[in-house]
Short mmCIF file of all heavy atoms in Angstrom, two decimals:
data_model
loop_
_atom_site.label_atom_id
_atom_site.label_comp_id
_atom_site.label_asym_id
_atom_site.label_seq_id
_atom_site.Cartn_x
_atom_site.Cartn_y
_atom_site.Cartn_z
N HIS A 9 -64.97 -79.77 -74.98
CA HIS A 9 -65.48 -80.85 -75.81
C HIS A 9 -65.14 -80.60 -77.27
O HIS A 9 -65.08 -79.46 -77.71
CB HIS A 9 -67.01 -80.95 -75.68
CG HIS A 9 -67.45 -81.44 -74.35
ND1 HIS A 9 -67.30 -80.69 -73.21
CD2 HIS A 9 -68.06 -82.59 -73.98
CE1 HIS A 9 -67.82 -81.34 -72.18
NE2 HIS A 9 -68.28 -82.50 -72.64
N ASP A 10 -64.92 -81.69 -77.99
CA ASP A 10 -64.73 -81.53 -79.42
C ASP A 10 -66.08 -81.60 -80.13
O ASP A 10 -67.13 -81.66 -79.50
CB ASP A 10 -63.74 -82.59 -79.97
CG ASP A 10 -64.25 -84.01 -79.81
OD1 ASP A 10 -65.48 -84.19 -79.65
OD2 ASP A 10 -63.42 -84.93 -79.85
N ASP A 11 -66.07 -81.62 -81.44
CA ASP A 11 -67.31 -81.57 -82.19
C ASP A 11 -68.17 -82.81 -82.03
O ASP A 11 -69.33 -82.82 -82.39
CB ASP A 11 -67.01 -81.36 -83.69
CG ASP A 11 -66.44 -79.98 -83.95
OD1 ASP A 11 -66.71 -79.08 -83.12
OD2 ASP A 11 -65.73 -79.80 -84.95
N HIS A 12 -67.59 -83.89 -81.52
CA HIS A 12 -68.35 -85.13 -81.36
C HIS A 12 -68.83 -85.31 -79.93
O HIS A 12 -69.28 -86.38 -79.55
CB HIS A 12 -67.50 -86.34 -81.75
CG HIS A 12 -67.07 -86.29 -83.19
ND1 HIS A 12 -67.93 -86.54 -84.22
CD2 HIS A 12 -65.87 -85.98 -83.76
CE1 HIS A 12 -67.29 -86.42 -85.38
NE2 HIS A 12 -66.05 -86.08 -85.12
N GLY A 13 -68.69 -84.31 -79.10
CA GLY A 13 -69.15 -84.42 -77.74
C GLY A 13 -68.21 -85.19 -76.84
O GLY A 13 -68.56 -85.60 -75.76
N HIS A 14 -66.97 -85.41 -77.26
CA HIS A 14 -66.01 -86.15 -76.46
C HIS A 14 -65.28 -85.19 -75.51
O HIS A 14 -64.81 -84.14 -75.92
CB HIS A 14 -64.98 -86.85 -77.36
CG HIS A 14 -65.60 -87.91 -78.22
ND1 HIS A 14 -64.90 -88.60 -79.16
CD2 HIS A 14 -66.87 -88.37 -78.29
CE1 HIS A 14 -65.69 -89.45 -79.78
NE2 HIS A 14 -66.90 -89.33 -79.26
N HIS A 15 -65.19 -85.61 -74.29
CA HIS A 15 -64.56 -84.76 -73.28
C HIS A 15 -63.12 -85.23 -73.08
O HIS A 15 -62.87 -86.41 -72.87
CB HIS A 15 -65.33 -84.87 -71.97
CG HIS A 15 -64.77 -84.00 -70.87
ND1 HIS A 15 -65.13 -82.69 -70.73
CD2 HIS A 15 -63.88 -84.27 -69.89
CE1 HIS A 15 -64.49 -82.18 -69.68
NE2 HIS A 15 -63.73 -83.12 -69.17
N HIS A 16 -62.19 -84.30 -73.12
CA HIS A 16 -60.78 -84.64 -72.98
C HIS A 16 -60.28 -84.21 -71.61
O HIS A 16 -60.60 -83.12 -71.13
CB HIS A 16 -59.96 -83.97 -74.08
CG HIS A 16 -60.41 -84.36 -75.46
ND1 HIS A 16 -60.28 -85.63 -75.96
CD2 HIS A 16 -61.01 -83.63 -76.44
CE1 HIS A 16 -60.76 -85.67 -77.19
NE2 HIS A 16 -61.22 -84.47 -77.50
N GLY A 17 -59.48 -85.04 -71.01
CA GLY A 17 -58.93 -84.71 -69.70
C GLY A 17 -59.75 -85.33 -68.58
O GLY A 17 -60.77 -85.98 -68.82
N PRO A 18 -59.32 -85.16 -67.33
CA PRO A 18 -60.03 -85.74 -66.18
C PRO A 18 -61.45 -85.21 -66.07
O PRO A 18 -61.74 -84.05 -66.37
CB PRO A 18 -59.18 -85.30 -64.98
CG PRO A 18 -57.85 -84.92 -65.56
CD PRO A 18 -58.12 -84.43 -66.93
N VAL A 19 -62.35 -86.09 -65.64
CA VAL A 19 -63.74 -85.71 -65.47
C VAL A 19 -63.90 -84.93 -64.17
O VAL A 19 -63.35 -85.30 -63.14
CB VAL A 19 -64.64 -86.96 -65.44
CG1 VAL A 19 -66.08 -86.58 -65.12
CG2 VAL A 19 -64.57 -87.69 -66.76
N GLU A 20 -64.65 -83.85 -64.22
CA GLU A 20 -64.99 -83.07 -63.03
C GLU A 20 -66.51 -83.08 -62.88
O GLU A 20 -67.21 -82.30 -63.52
CB GLU A 20 -64.48 -81.63 -63.16
CG GLU A 20 -62.96 -81.51 -63.12
CD GLU A 20 -62.37 -81.92 -61.77
OE1 GLU A 20 -63.10 -81.87 -60.77
OE2 GLU A 20 -61.20 -82.32 -61.76
N PRO A 21 -67.03 -83.99 -62.07
CA PRO A 21 -68.50 -84.06 -61.93
C PRO A 21 -69.09 -82.78 -61.38
O PRO A 21 -68.43 -82.04 -60.65
CB PRO A 21 -68.68 -85.22 -60.95
CG PRO A 21 -67.39 -85.94 -60.92
CD PRO A 21 -66.33 -84.93 -61.21
N HIS A 22 -70.34 -82.54 -61.73
CA HIS A 22 -71.02 -81.35 -61.24
C HIS A 22 -72.50 -81.65 -61.16
O HIS A 22 -73.03 -82.50 -61.89
CB HIS A 22 -70.78 -80.16 -62.17
CG HIS A 22 -71.17 -80.42 -63.60
ND1 HIS A 22 -72.48 -80.32 -64.04
CD2 HIS A 22 -70.43 -80.80 -64.68
CE1 HIS A 22 -72.52 -80.61 -65.33
NE2 HIS A 22 -71.30 -80.91 -65.74
N GLU A 23 -73.19 -80.96 -60.27
CA GLU A 23 -74.64 -81.11 -60.17
C GLU A 23 -75.30 -80.51 -61.41
O GLU A 23 -74.80 -79.54 -62.00
CB GLU A 23 -75.16 -80.42 -58.91
CG GLU A 23 -76.65 -80.60 -58.65
CD GLU A 23 -77.06 -82.06 -58.51
OE1 GLU A 23 -77.30 -82.70 -59.54
OE2 GLU A 23 -77.13 -82.54 -57.36
N SER A 24 -76.41 -81.10 -61.81
CA SER A 24 -77.13 -80.62 -62.99
C SER A 24 -77.85 -79.31 -62.67
O SER A 24 -78.12 -79.00 -61.50
CB SER A 24 -78.13 -81.68 -63.45
OG SER A 24 -77.46 -82.87 -63.81
N PRO A 25 -78.21 -78.53 -63.70
CA PRO A 25 -78.92 -77.27 -63.47
C PRO A 25 -80.33 -77.51 -62.93
O PRO A 25 -80.85 -78.63 -62.98
CB PRO A 25 -78.95 -76.63 -64.85
CG PRO A 25 -78.83 -77.77 -65.80
CD PRO A 25 -77.94 -78.77 -65.13
N LYS A 26 -80.95 -76.45 -62.48
CA LYS A 26 -82.27 -76.56 -61.84
C LYS A 26 -83.33 -77.09 -62.80
O LYS A 26 -84.27 -77.78 -62.37
CB LYS A 26 -82.70 -75.20 -61.29
CG LYS A 26 -81.92 -74.78 -60.06
CD LYS A 26 -82.45 -73.47 -59.49
CE LYS A 26 -81.68 -73.07 -58.24
NZ LYS A 26 -82.17 -71.80 -57.65
N VAL A 27 -83.21 -76.78 -64.08
CA VAL A 27 -84.20 -77.25 -65.03
C VAL A 27 -84.19 -78.78 -65.12
O VAL A 27 -85.16 -79.40 -65.57
CB VAL A 27 -83.95 -76.62 -66.42
CG1 VAL A 27 -82.75 -77.24 -67.11
CG2 VAL A 27 -85.20 -76.69 -67.28
N VAL A 28 -83.10 -79.40 -64.66
CA VAL A 28 -83.01 -80.85 -64.59
C VAL A 28 -83.38 -81.36 -63.20
O VAL A 28 -84.10 -82.35 -63.06
CB VAL A 28 -81.58 -81.32 -64.97
CG1 VAL A 28 -81.40 -82.81 -64.71
CG2 VAL A 28 -81.30 -80.99 -66.43
N THR A 29 -82.90 -80.70 -62.14
CA THR A 29 -83.12 -81.21 -60.78
C THR A 29 -84.53 -80.95 -60.26
O THR A 29 -85.04 -81.75 -59.46
CB THR A 29 -82.10 -80.58 -59.81
OG1 THR A 29 -82.20 -79.16 -59.88
CG2 THR A 29 -80.69 -81.02 -60.17
N VAL A 30 -85.18 -79.87 -60.69
CA VAL A 30 -86.55 -79.60 -60.22
C VAL A 30 -87.52 -80.72 -60.62
O VAL A 30 -88.31 -81.19 -59.78
CB VAL A 30 -87.03 -78.22 -60.70
CG1 VAL A 30 -88.53 -78.07 -60.45
CG2 VAL A 30 -86.27 -77.11 -60.00
N PRO A 31 -87.51 -81.20 -61.88
CA PRO A 31 -88.36 -82.36 -62.19
C PRO A 31 -88.04 -83.59 -61.34
O PRO A 31 -88.95 -84.36 -61.01
CB PRO A 31 -88.07 -82.63 -63.68
CG PRO A 31 -87.68 -81.29 -64.22
CD PRO A 31 -86.90 -80.64 -63.11
N LEU A 32 -86.75 -83.78 -60.98
CA LEU A 32 -86.41 -84.89 -60.11
C LEU A 32 -87.10 -84.76 -58.77
O LEU A 32 -87.66 -85.73 -58.22
CB LEU A 32 -84.90 -84.97 -59.92
CG LEU A 32 -84.02 -85.24 -61.14
CD1 LEU A 32 -82.55 -85.30 -60.73
CD2 LEU A 32 -84.43 -86.52 -61.82
N ILE A 33 -87.09 -83.57 -58.19
CA ILE A 33 -87.71 -83.34 -56.89
C ILE A 33 -89.23 -83.53 -56.99
O ILE A 33 -89.85 -84.16 -56.11
CB ILE A 33 -87.38 -81.92 -56.38
CG1 ILE A 33 -85.87 -81.80 -56.15
CG2 ILE A 33 -88.15 -81.60 -55.10
CD1 ILE A 33 -85.39 -80.39 -55.88
N LEU A 34 -89.82 -83.03 -58.06
CA LEU A 34 -91.26 -83.15 -58.23
C LEU A 34 -91.69 -84.61 -58.43
O LEU A 34 -92.82 -84.98 -58.07
CB LEU A 34 -91.73 -82.30 -59.41
CG LEU A 34 -91.59 -80.79 -59.23
CD1 LEU A 34 -92.03 -80.05 -60.49
CD2 LEU A 34 -92.41 -80.31 -58.03
#
């Protein structure tokens, strides 16, 4: 990422970390 949060190149999706997914489950 550059300084503005822009991602360059093809996107590679990934699952979010547990600190994000645990509240979803709860």
Side-chain angles (χ1 to χ4, degrees):
H9 291 68
D10 63 20
D11 292 335
H12 299 286
H14 295 176
H15 181 86
H16 301 293
V19 175
E20 291 295 336
H22 56 81
E23 184 60 275
S24 299
K26 288 184 179 180
V27 74
V28 172
T29 56
V30 169
L32 297 181
I33 296 170
L34 293 177

